[in-house]
Amino acid sequence: MKKIILLFAVLFSVTACNLDLSPENSIATGNALHSVSDAAKFRYNLYTNIRTNLASGAPIYLTELMADSFHASITFGNRNGEYYKWELRSTFSNLESLWGDSYYVVTLANFLIDGIDKLEAGDLSADDRATLELYRGECAFAKAYAMYSLVDKFCPVYDAASASSEMGLILLDEQFTTPSDPSTYKGRSSLADTYKYIEDNLAVAEPLLSGVATKAGSQYFNVDVVSALKARMALLKGEWDTAARIASALADSGKYPLVDNSDDFIKVFVNDSGAECILQFWSEYPTSLASSYEYDYIKENSNGTFSPNYIPEQWIVELFDEEDLRFQNWFTFKTLTYGTITGDVYMFTKFPGNPELMDGTGASSTYQHKIKPFRIAEQYLIAAEAYAKAGNEVKANEYLNKLKGKRIPGGKIVSYTGDNLLKQIKDERARELFGEGFRLSDLRRWGDGLKRSRAQDDQIINNAGGTNTEFLEKSASDKFWVWPIPQAEIDANPQIRNQQNPGY
């Protein structure tokens, strides 16, 4: 961890404590945590780093480009083509950034926890102690979320029978210290211990966050956010009863009602209404903007033409009914222009950008919106899948149809059985979560492999007919389902030099 710790020591500064305000008043680590106000500024930095570096940007869109739902256009210029074509290398900067950003969050949280311990040893008011305990809970959740961000990409799929022998992540609970002898650095833990680390931190966070309001559009970590990640982790582990119990409780709580009309539906992503969002991070133009979920899925040119770098495949378009609110609001039929070549296709417009987060002309901050790492629709889908895998087809159909009934108002309720039920749930995940960074993870844990298929228009996609582009296929055993540990980290930490993922 030498590289991460050195980076932390050199660059670490924090900003304003109020998540509703713009950053101000940076402080240096040498003077940090002399007061609750100092702790609040570090807390702000914790939220900002998760929002900007883990829950949006490359960690989201790169997985979408690797999956089976997009084709690159003829002018995409090989932008992120290494991911699209499944040509990963351990030296890629995006991999290093995600790895480093995740451990930055963990190290920052550990530093803040250590400071809280020292502050609480002094003379504080009851209100200040309560505030610090809230921050402690947020730190625990942040550590869990950061390790989730890595384990689902850099580690193998969880299997209880082999998890104790499979390699997981480097687990850090130590507080911030000056870099020491490299021989003391930690190596990778087991996959079982990594999942336990995440679960243990969620267990710490839950009671400490019990006083935070739970409501649609909340911008703060709270017990429902903890539950949402617990349900997601249980699904990844194949713990069906646990996943079903937690996810169905959230879906049934009534706090996050599914919208059922086009006017309200479009506001979820365009205007960041907060509807259906268990957590929606705060953002403000121009001082505090996150990265986007998308990578030039729209790309409007100055002359009014459109030439996106990535275009939805034909199968994903055909997956939607025309009456589906998602199809009506997330796909736009356009003539795309690439020099002298044009094509009439559906463009993916789920993330057009919130006008309040732009400069008024739309020229800057395009596609910016408030990041939504946990939406209630995902919990309906977790409940449906977990109940189906547990053999409770009645409950699985119940949650599947509740979601579909809101997305296709007046649609027919159908009860599915057996393999067809699981197929319907998989298809519904493809529809609902399209573009939000779930597809590659879903294919990975299902063991379905990957098979791209025909384009909407072969004339406007890169290398039409190619087996590494339009018709790329990957078996479930392909090494690239597990991303390589960044080479910079391998070089810096002697404890993991023989712990690179297989095949790299």
Side-chain angles (χ1 to χ4, degrees):
M1 300 303 293
K2 179 179 179 181
K3 178 179 181 294
I4 304 306
I5 298 299
L6 283 173
L7 179 66
F8 185 85
V10 172
L11 301 180
F12 188 16
S13 65
V14 295
T15 49
C17 61
N18 190 335
L19 299 188
D20 299 313
L21 298 177
S22 304
E24 61 183 9
N25 302 329
S26 66
I27 61 177
T29 55
N31 298 318
L33 292 192
H34 285 180
S35 67
V36 176
S37 177
D38 287 345
K41 291 167 184 162
F42 280 94
R43 176 224 191 189
Y44 176 92
N45 205 18
L46 195 69
Y47 270 92
T48 298
N49 275 276
I50 293 174
R51 178 195 66 187
T52 304
N53 299 326
L54 305 187
S56 63
I60 304 301
Y61 62 68
L62 289 180
T63 63
E64 293 293 330
L65 303 185
M66 276 190 72
D68 59 352
S69 306
F70 286 100
H71 287 132
S73 73
I74 54 176
T75 62
F76 88 120
N78 205 39
R79 297 176 184 89
N80 291 312
E82 298 89 349
Y83 297 88
Y84 173 65
K85 298 174 184 176
W86 283 57
E87 297 171 348
L88 270 66
R89 298 291 182 271
S90 62
T91 54
F92 286 179
S93 60
N94 277 318
L95 300 182
E96 185 176 339
S97 294
L98 175 56
W99 183 269
D101 290 336
S102 297
Y103 278 106
Y104 180 91
V105 165
V106 172
T107 307
L108 176 57
N110 285 336
F111 179 84
L112 183 51
I113 290 169
D114 183 56
I116 290 170
D117 289 342
K118 292 174 180 176
L119 287 173
E120 288 185 338
D123 186 18
L124 293 174
S125 69
D127 285 347
D128 281 348
R129 289 184 184 277
T131 296
L132 289 176
E133 286 303 287
L134 168 64
Y135 295 172
R136 188 190 299 276
E138 291 175 322
C139 287
F141 179 83
K143 289 168 66 175
Y145 187 85
M147 291 296 95
Y148 152 74
S149 297
L150 294 182
V151 75
D152 196 37
K153 299 177 180 69
F154 293 91
C155 298
V157 174
Y158 189 93
D159 182 340
S162 60
S164 295
S165 58
E166 295 278 10
M167 283 191 292
L169 301 170
I170 302 167
L171 304 180
L172 299 180
D173 278 318
E174 298 81 5
Q175 314 311 334
F176 175 76
T177 58
T178 302
S180 57
D181 183 354
S183 67
T184 66
Y185 296 165
K186 285 190 171 184
R188 294 177 69 177
S189 69
S190 70
L191 187 60
D193 284 344
T194 298
Y195 272 79
K196 185 177 184 300
Y197 178 95
I198 295 170
E199 292 162 352
D200 287 349
N201 275 287
L202 291 176
V204 170
E206 194 162 27
L208 296 176
L209 299 178
S210 61
V212 182
T214 55
K215 60 181 181 179
S218 174
Q219 65 185 26
Y220 300 101
F221 304 149
N222 57 53
V223 292
D224 284 355
V225 177
V226 172
S227 292
L229 184 53
K230 286 170 67 176
R232 192 182 289 178
M233 296 305 300
L235 191 72
L236 290 176
K237 290 182 71 176
E239 295 180 345
W240 312 125
D241 290 341
T242 300
R245 173 178 54 80
I246 297 173
S248 61
L250 283 170
D252 295 343
S253 70
K255 288 181 281 188
Y256 313 98
L258 294 165
V259 298
D260 60 1
N261 63 85
S262 186
D263 288 343
D264 290 334
F265 188 78
I266 194 63
K267 292 176 184 176
V268 174
F269 277 100
V270 174
N271 306 110
D272 299 323
S273 67
E276 300 190 2
C277 296
I278 302 171
L279 177 67
Q280 177 176 270
F281 283 121
W282 171 81
S283 190
E284 182 179 84
Y285 180 83
T287 54
S288 186
L289 295 171
S291 300
S292 176
Y293 277 145
E294 73 97 70
Y295 191 78
D296 282 341
Y297 300 148
I298 300 174
K299 196 177 181 182
E300 183 175 6
N301 303 308
S302 58
N303 62 1
T305 62
F306 292 86
S307 55
N309 283 326
Y310 288 92
I311 305 162
E313 293 188 26
Q314 182 66 31
W315 78 268
I316 193 72
V317 174
E318 293 177 348
L319 196 62
F320 291 85
D321 293 336
E322 288 187 2
E323 296 79 15
D324 195 314
L325 294 176
R326 296 166 296 197
F327 182 71
Q328 294 174 358
N329 291 291
W330 294 350
F331 295 84
T332 304
F333 195 71
K334 287 283 186 180
T335 298
L336 306 186
T337 303
Y338 300 94
T340 60
I341 301 173
T342 62
D344 296 328
V345 300
Y346 283 97
M347 185 170 62
F348 185 46
T349 54
K350 186 175 185 177
F351 314 118
N354 183 342
E356 293 183 2
L357 299 179
M358 300 181 189
D359 65 0
T361 68
S364 65
S365 305
T366 308
Y367 316 130
Q368 285 288 345
H369 56 93
K370 297 179 180 180
I371 302 303
K372 305 159 180 58
F374 296 99
R375 296 195 297 117
I376 196 62
E378 181 201 356
Q379 300 301 314
Y380 279 87
L381 291 163
I382 290 175
E385 183 175 347
Y387 276 125
K389 290 291 184 68
N392 191 336
E393 294 186 343
V394 172
K395 295 295 286 185
N397 275 289
E398 176 186 336
Y399 287 96
L400 176 62
N401 280 304
K402 280 182 178 179
L403 178 59
K404 292 183 70 173
K406 295 297 184 180
R407 298 307 188 231
I408 310 175
K412 183 180 178 182
I413 294 177
V414 179
S415 291
Y416 303 98
T417 60
D419 290 344
N420 191 32
L421 172 59
L422 284 172
K423 179 184 182 303
Q424 294 298 325
I425 293 169
K426 290 179 179 181
D427 285 350
E428 197 62 20
R429 281 188 70 91
R431 295 184 190 98
E432 180 64 35
L433 302 176
F434 187 38
E436 295 182 53
F438 290 94
R439 182 63 179 173
L440 192 70
S441 175
D442 285 346
L443 293 173
R444 199 174 88 112
R445 66 185 175 81
W446 291 332
D448 285 352
L450 178 143
K451 185 176 182 180
R452 292 201 186 122
S453 55
R454 66 187 175 92
Q456 294 187 63
D457 186 338
D458 274 347
Q459 294 185 91
I460 59 173
I461 69 163
N462 173 262
N463 191 25
T467 56
N468 67 336
T469 52
E470 183 178 13
F471 295 115
L472 179 142
E473 292 188 35
K474 294 293 178 180
S475 71
S477 62
D478 191 283
K479 70 178 183 181
F480 287 125
W481 290 103
V482 181
W483 290 4
I485 306 300
Q487 190 60 44
E489 193 65 21
I490 296 285
D491 293 341
N493 184 353
Q495 305 306 316
I496 64 171
R497 286 189 187 155
N498 296 318
Q499 294 183 334
Q500 179 59 280
N501 287 325
Y504 294 101

